[in-house]
Amino acid sequence: MVLRSRERHIALWLNRLPSDRILRLCPTKAPFVIAFKKNNTNLIYCRNQQAENADIRLGMTLGNAQSFCPGLLSAPADPVSDARFLETIRRWAMRYCPTVAIDGHDGLTLDITGAAHLWGGETQMLGDIRKHLRRVGLSVKCAVAGTRAAAWAMAHYGEGWPEADIPNLPIEALRIDPDLAVTLRRIGIRTIADLAAKPRAPVANRFGTHLLCRLDQVLGHMPEPVHHEPDPPHYGMRLSLPEPIGTDDDVMHGIERLLQPLCDKLKANEAGARVILLTIRRVDMDSQQIELRLAAPMRDPARILPLFKKGVEEVDAGYGIDQLRLEATQVLHLPVHQPGFDAASTEGEMLPLLVTSLGTRLDLENVLRFLPADSHVPERGFSVSPFAFSQPEAAWTDLLPRPVNLFPPEPAFADTPALPDSFRWRGMRLSPQWAEGPERIAPEWWFEDQNWRTGVRDYWRVQTRQGPRLWMFYTPQSPGWYIEGEFA
């Protein structure tokens, strides 16, 4: 019933991956489970062998399991770490064949077509896989078959069975929904052979074509290639030196040799480095690192190289440096663009370089930019953010002019609620030549601000005869005149 195929696949089922990931670092002989929270209830979804021997079932609540197994140990689920660990195993499995794909959240599929003879045959290859995985504390079930689906079915439901007995596997081996498997069992379809014996048209009408596709895949009538997304490019370069070096010029020359291929690789992938890490290894195996954080993604070696000079000057070469390693640890998308020839375009390209140069001395968080904020209150009409970690916003949209120089309110000594004919400020006697106003600004009631407890303010723009052009306001609730800014 199984179609003969020249393709060969291995399925690896790491049936205790979440618990094995933790227990291989912290071994224990006690029952251990992994639980995840669903609808405010902790449910068990992975267990070690001791917990299985204690009759702890998957899907059981953690409280019920602890009630009859007082010594039960548990840990919260961490799907992100599990996925990262599975990816590590996938990369390791590429020692057996070049095509390895992740299958679900706890499995791998290997396309070993034409590669088994390098290990002495399929049996020897499976034995080597089991030996290495179990040596590091991982439980694994594996099988080899002519199709990817058949290998998965044997690993999950018939490990050790001959490939010819695949039709006798349970219907769940087709990788179908559990509810569909229950429905098929209720009508007497319990194995793959039972389903294959049924007329295809009625099965498709009742259960859809997906069920027949799964059947054809496991029997080899429909191809199912193994495909995995290519690994992301690694932006790292290393230079091993035949003779130790120690001068700053030699180190800078080595960085220059590494920067060119690194930037070429960034350009080929339309990417730019935001953080570059330089690791300097001495002959006594001591390492020093220089982290260069850029204000914007860059890939121009001529502009990046001088930024390393300050950090290199602080390196202690000791008895000599024998290795340099340069790695772009943070990479962002940077599409290729046509550079402009006008001054504005050149200024836009040089500004991040200027900020990066300042950031190497002051730290990037200390190079700030002002951004507009949506508030009528003068003190809240702007915000300050680090230049390297913020984006410029649209132009400032003020309906009325605001002073360039803004400072905390200072009293202007005057005795009248109307605009005074003269007043004293900073020891000067001033008199208005012309004035524009008032502009009433009310405090934002949802902010607690001690400076605005006096209530609303009536602002005036006053040009004095003595020269200063001031921004004044009057507080009706607590009568008094104040000056808060000066126009240019």
Side-chain angles (χ1 to χ4, degrees):
M1 184 177 296
V2 178
L3 181 66
R4 296 284 182 179
S5 174
R6 293 183 178 180
E7 295 184 358
R8 304 299 291 173
H9 298 81
I10 287 180
L12 303 181
W13 180 30
L14 303 163
N15 55 328
R16 305 186 197 277
L17 177 70
S19 61
D20 288 345
R21 179 182 61 83
I22 297 176
L23 294 180
R24 63 190 294 267
L25 301 177
C26 304
T28 180
K29 297 294 184 181
F32 177 80
V33 298
I34 301 290
F36 73 97
K37 197 167 188 178
K38 181 180 181 182
N39 298 330
N40 294 326
T41 303
N42 289 319
L43 302 178
I44 296 173
Y45 89 107
C46 186
R47 58 191 175 175
N48 65 351
Q49 186 63 50
Q50 290 79 3
E52 184 176 355
N53 296 338
D55 294 332
I56 295 178
R57 301 182 304 275
L58 299 179
M60 177 187 294
T61 63
L62 182 60
N64 290 341
Q66 291 173 335
S67 64
F68 68 85
C69 186
L72 181 65
L73 302 178
S74 65
D78 189 356
V80 176
S81 297
D82 294 340
R84 190 182 302 116
F85 184 52
L86 183 61
E87 174 62 22
T88 302
I89 301 174
R90 186 197 72 82
R91 294 176 62 89
W92 167 83
M94 294 180 66
R95 67 196 298 262
Y96 296 99
C97 61
T99 306
V100 183
I102 292 178
D103 193 353
H105 63 278
D106 57 1
L108 297 175
T109 300
L110 291 72
D111 186 353
I112 62 168
T113 305
H117 70 281
L118 301 175
W119 298 85
E122 296 176 354
T123 303
Q124 289 77 4
M125 179 182 286
L126 282 179
D128 192 75
I129 292 174
R130 288 194 188 99
K131 179 183 69 174
H132 282 83
L133 291 178
R134 290 173 180 172
R135 180 183 298 173
V136 296
L138 299 180
S139 175
V140 61
K141 293 185 177 181
C142 50
V144 59
T147 66
R148 177 179 180 178
W152 186 95
M154 292 174 63
H156 285 72
Y157 295 94
E159 185 184 26
W161 284 29
E163 190 172 356
D165 289 342
I166 289 178
N168 297 325
L169 293 176
I171 196 66
E172 290 83 0
L174 290 180
R175 297 177 296 171
I176 57 178
D177 187 82
D179 294 336
L180 177 57
V182 172
T183 301
L184 293 173
R185 284 186 172 276
R186 286 176 178 174
I187 61 175
I189 301 178
R190 295 181 172 83
T191 66
I192 296 177
D194 294 338
L195 179 62
K198 300 295 182 181
R200 294 177 64 91
V203 171
N205 291 334
R206 182 169 181 179
F207 301 107
T209 59
H210 177 72
L211 179 60
L212 295 179
C213 289
R214 289 299 192 190
L215 177 64
D216 292 338
Q217 287 172 350
V218 78
L219 297 179
H221 302 154
M222 179 180 291
E224 188 181 6
V226 177
H227 175 70
H228 182 77
E229 294 295 330
D231 295 332
H234 176 68
Y235 301 101
M237 302 293 168
R238 183 174 59 187
L239 176 63
S240 297
L241 304 169
E243 293 291 338
I245 60 175
T247 65
D248 296 347
D249 292 339
D250 290 340
V251 175
M252 292 296 294
H253 182 67
I255 298 175
E256 183 179 9
R257 291 184 59 184
L258 294 174
L259 265 177
Q260 188 60 53
L262 176 64
C263 292
D264 290 343
K265 191 171 185 179
L266 289 168
K267 185 175 181 180
N269 292 279
E270 295 192 2
R274 187 67 184 271
V275 179
I276 302 178
L277 182 65
L278 171 65
T279 303
I280 299 175
R281 194 187 71 180
R282 303 191 313 194
V283 294
D284 59 358
M285 303 308 294
D286 181 42
S287 296
Q288 301 176 61
Q289 292 184 334
I290 300 173
E291 185 181 59
L292 178 63
R293 297 191 298 164
L294 304 173
M298 297 174 61
R299 56 168 177 250
D300 187 350
R303 294 181 177 180
I304 298 175
L305 179 62
L307 304 176
F308 278 102
K309 187 172 183 58
K310 181 177 181 296
V312 170
E313 292 174 350
E314 300 174 357
V315 170
D316 181 11
Y319 293 103
I321 298 169
D322 64 353
Q323 188 182 97
L324 300 175
R325 188 173 188 275
L326 201 64
E327 180 182 6
T329 57
Q330 183 178 353
V331 177
L332 300 179
H333 181 61
L334 184 62
V336 178
H337 68 282
Q338 175 67 39
F341 298 98
D342 57 339
S345 175
T346 304
E347 180 182 355
E349 294 177 358
M350 296 301 294
L351 185 58
L353 183 61
L354 172 63
V355 174
T356 301
S357 300
L358 295 174
T360 57
R361 296 168 173 80
L362 307 176
D363 201 351
L364 282 179
E365 284 78 4
N366 295 326
V367 183
L368 307 176
R369 80 160 90 227
F370 289 90
L371 299 174
D374 187 13
S375 177
H376 293 288
V377 176
E379 299 89 335
R380 302 195 191 102
F382 64 92
S383 62
V384 180
S385 298
F387 182 94
F389 308 107
S390 61
Q391 295 294 330
E393 297 186 9
W396 297 66
T397 55
D398 286 331
L399 300 179
L400 295 174
R402 292 290 184 262
V404 176
N405 185 15
L406 195 67
F407 44 80
E410 299 177 359
F413 298 98
D415 300 328
T416 173
L419 185 66
D421 294 333
S422 66
F423 57 90
R424 286 188 299 108
W425 173 63
R426 293 183 178 179
M428 298 182 294
R429 174 64 65 174
L430 303 175
S431 58
Q433 181 178 9
W434 60 265
E436 183 179 1
E439 175 192 355
R440 173 158 291 189
I441 298 179
E444 297 167 336
W445 57 266
W446 54 91
F447 288 117
E448 184 66 25
D449 192 341
Q450 185 69 26
N451 297 327
W452 282 78
R453 289 187 177 275
T454 54
V456 300
R457 298 176 180 179
D458 292 333
Y459 280 87
W460 294 78
R461 290 179 295 279
V462 178
Q463 174 66 59
T464 64
R465 298 180 184 277
Q466 290 74 19
R469 186 183 178 197
L470 305 176
W471 203 37
M472 303 177 58
F473 68 85
Y474 179 76
T475 55
Q477 290 86 347
S478 180
W481 284 94
Y482 299 87
I483 298 176
E484 193 176 1
E486 188 174 3
F487 292 91

